[in-house]
Structures are given as C-alpha cells and as structure tokens.
C-alpha cells in the first residue's frame, strides 16, 4: 500500500501556511507520502512538465487524475460535449503518468422522483462508459468513486453496483467518508466491492451540528484520518485482504489547518501499516 494525498490540498496548505509547495512536500514526504491525486485543472494551470518535475524532485508519483465538473445532463448535446472535453484531460493524464482517471460529473438538479433519478443514472452510465472506452487507448483505467451528494447517481451501493455491472472495464475507488452523508453503511459497501477496488480515498469525519460539510442534511467536519467516527482502518484491512498494490489517499475537506491534518493522518496511517 502506498500513501498519498490530493495535490490541491498541498496547494491549499501552501496558501494557508504562506509557504511554498516545495516546503509543504518537504514536511509530508518524510512522513510517508509517496503519491498524489491530481485535479485536471491543476495540470492545465501548471502544466504537466512542472508537475512531473516536482514529483521527480521528491520521488513521488501520480496515483490518479480526477475530473470534477458540473454535468448539466438535461442540456442538449451535454453528453457528447462532456465526452469530447475528456480527450484533453486523458492526454494530460498520460503526460503525468497516471494509471487511473476518475470522472466526477456532479448533478445539481433535485430529482422530482425515482424515475427522473433513474433516467439521470442512464445518462451518467453512458458518460462513464464513453470515458472508459477512451481511457483504454492511453492505457489508463477509468475509475468511479461513491459520491457524497445523493443527487449524483453514483452515491448509493445500488448505484455503484449498476455501474460496475454494466461497464466491465471500470474499477472502483472507495471513499471512506462519502457514504456517511447518504446514510449508507461504508463497511458493507467496502466488502461488497472489494474485488473491484483499486484505489482508496481516506476520509474521516467528526459529526457536528455546525460542521463545515453540509451534505444531504448531515453535517460534519473533515478531520485527520483515525480521529473521527468512521471505521477507516477496518475498511483498509478489508481492502488489504483483497489487494496489496493500491494507494490510500488522505483527503481533508474544508479544514483551517490542512497541513497539520495531513501530517496527523500520515502518522496515524503509518501506525496502522
């Protein structure tokens, strides 16, 4: 198991601490950081050469590239436009040597009923299938994670099963925190999809009435891994029993002390390794 974090969090920590990106990495690499998940926008803004040089300087790799965007699926030609756009992102992902590409088409519509959500799910499935076909040309595997907001039809266990059953080449990214917002048992999902899991987003939560994360009527703060309410290490043990070559990516959302939370997370992960 490799340990890593999100490149946008490194940039956020740099801004919060008023230090360079390099200084942030100098603090995290000795704690065991070996890889980073990168946002598609980071590659466009900074350039693939800058990112690969930074990685080479610190001896780390790209664990995945994720493409987070609002998918206006009701708009005419939305599906074709989204699939056309992804070509550039896959080329960039190949340039930073990413093994995985994770599209995150966020749905902002409030579905009127289950039928409308199911129709949305069919279009999102077409999108994932199209991305998977394209990514294979770059020797990149398309992956899908369980999303936090249940408006997006890849948030419940049945949603993930529908996608994995219908797109044989797609793989699964377990997000240890996102299921909580939709009221799903994360460990049940972890066991159910263990054989398809290739990557893990490590997220832990502290439930609070005024939590910074306010999703699906539940509120929580994102905290260092192992310091919240979620059985994150139990989930890791389940994954380890099925696969050893994967990355556990520390995810901290909305924290005022991102660097400190990342450091604590790496220390706690090392204790459990």
């Amino acid at each position: 198991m490799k340990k890593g974090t999100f490149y946008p969090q490194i940039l956020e920590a740099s801004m919060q601490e008023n230090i360079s990106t390099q200084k942030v990495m100098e603090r995290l690499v000795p704690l065991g950081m070996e890889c980073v998940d990168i946002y598609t926008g980071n590659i466009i803004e900074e350039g693939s050469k800058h990112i690969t040089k930074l990685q080479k300087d610190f001896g780390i790799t790209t664990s995945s590239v994720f493409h987070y965007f609002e998918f206006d699926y009701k708009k005419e030609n939305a599906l074709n436009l989204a699939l056309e756009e992804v070509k550039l992102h896959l080329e960039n992902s190949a340039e930073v040597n990413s093994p995985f590409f994770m599209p995150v088409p966020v749905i902002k519509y409030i579905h009127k009923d289950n039928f409308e959500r199911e129709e949305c799910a069919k279009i999102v499935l077409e999108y994932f299938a199209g991305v998977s076909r394209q990514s294979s040309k770059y020797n990149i595997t398309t992956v899908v994670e369980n999303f936090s907001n249940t408006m997006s039809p890849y948030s419940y266990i049945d949603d993930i099963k529908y996608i994995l059953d219908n797109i044989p080449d797609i793989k699964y990214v377990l997000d240890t925190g996102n299921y909580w917002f939709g009221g799903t048992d994360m460990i049940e999902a972890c066991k159910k999809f263990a054989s398809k899991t290739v990557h893990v987003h490590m997220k832990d939560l502290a439930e609070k009435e005024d939590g910074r994360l306010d999703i699906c009527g539940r509120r929580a703060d994102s905290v260092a891994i192992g310091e919240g309410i979620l059985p994150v290490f139990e989930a890791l043990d389940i994954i380890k029993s099925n696969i050893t070559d994967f990355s556990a990516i520390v995810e901290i959302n909305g924290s005022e002390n991102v660097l400190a939370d990342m450091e604590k997370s790496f220390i706690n992960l090392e204790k459990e390794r």
Side-chain angles (χ1 to χ4, degrees):
M1 180 187 83
K2 293 182 178 178
K3 294 182 298 182
T5 193
F6 283 82
Y7 187 61
Q9 287 174 191
I10 292 174
L11 300 179
E12 185 178 3
S14 171
M15 293 180 63
Q16 287 183 352
E17 304 291 330
N18 196 27
I19 58 177
S20 68
T21 303
Q22 287 84 350
K23 290 292 184 183
V24 174
M25 296 177 76
E26 284 175 6
R27 287 174 59 169
L28 296 178
V29 169
L31 296 177
M33 185 180 77
E34 301 168 88
C35 53
V36 287
D37 274 17
I38 304 173
Y39 171 50
T40 50
N42 298 144
I43 307 175
I44 290 172
E45 291 167 10
E46 299 189 2
S48 59
K49 289 183 179 179
H50 170 78
I51 290 174
T52 53
K53 182 183 184 304
L54 190 64
Q55 291 177 332
K56 184 178 180 181
D57 289 345
F58 285 93
I60 64 174
T61 60
T62 302
S63 40
S64 180
V65 169
F66 65 99
H67 180 44
Y68 185 98
F69 70 105
E70 186 173 338
F71 185 32
D72 188 0
Y73 75 99
K74 292 186 178 182
K75 188 175 180 180
E76 184 180 359
N77 212 30
L79 177 60
N80 290 336
L81 289 172
L83 289 173
E84 182 64 31
E85 180 193 23
V86 88
K87 292 178 182 178
L88 170 64
H89 299 311
L90 286 169
E91 290 173 2
N92 289 343
S93 298
E95 289 181 2
V96 296
N97 303 306
S98 179
F100 302 123
F101 182 80
M102 191 181 86
V104 188
V106 180
I107 307 299
K108 294 294 181 71
Y109 291 104
I110 297 176
H111 306 297
K112 292 183 295 186
D113 49 34
N114 284 336
F115 176 79
E116 186 169 280
R117 191 178 189 277
E118 288 171 3
E119 291 301 300
C120 174
K122 291 176 184 177
I123 297 172
V124 169
L125 182 74
E126 283 189 64
Y127 173 72
F128 283 141
V131 174
S132 182
R133 286 192 297 270
Q134 290 189 53
S135 70
S136 65
K137 300 173 185 177
Y138 298 89
N139 292 318
I140 294 173
T141 300
T142 296
V143 293
V144 60
E145 80 164 358
N146 50 289
F147 195 59
S148 55
N149 194 313
T150 56
M151 289 299 102
S152 295
Y154 48 101
S155 52
Y156 294 121
I157 287 178
D158 284 348
D159 295 338
I160 300 299
K161 184 178 185 302
Y162 174 66
I163 294 165
L164 297 179
D165 285 351
N166 284 281
I167 311 175
D169 292 334
I170 208 166
K171 299 298 182 182
Y172 177 57
V173 176
L174 170 69
D175 187 297
T176 62
N178 284 350
Y179 279 123
W180 182 83
F181 293 101
T184 298
D185 184 337
M186 184 266 288
I187 294 298
E188 179 187 348
C190 182
K191 291 176 179 177
K192 189 175 186 68
F193 304 123
S195 65
K196 284 277 193 174
T197 303
V198 294
H199 198 62
V200 180
H201 287 161
M202 297 294 294
K203 189 184 295 175
D204 209 347
L205 302 171
E207 187 172 9
K208 292 180 67 176
E209 289 185 1
D210 60 346
R212 294 184 182 88
L213 303 179
D214 183 3
I215 303 169
C216 297
R218 303 190 80 177
R219 299 192 69 160
D221 279 341
S222 180
V223 296
I225 305 305
E227 302 197 357
I229 61 174
L230 302 178
V232 290
F233 295 124
E234 182 182 349
L236 262 191
D237 287 340
I238 294 168
I239 301 303
K240 287 177 184 177
S241 68
N242 285 271
I243 184 174
T244 56
D245 185 16
F246 72 96
S247 298
I249 305 299
V250 171
E251 182 171 2
I252 308 293
N253 299 134
S255 170
E256 295 179 350
N257 300 287
V258 174
L259 183 53
D261 285 338
M262 286 192 290
E263 289 174 322
K264 289 177 186 176
S265 296
F266 281 120
I267 291 169
N268 291 344
L269 276 170
E270 188 62 27
K271 290 177 183 176
E272 294 290 327
R273 193 163 188 164

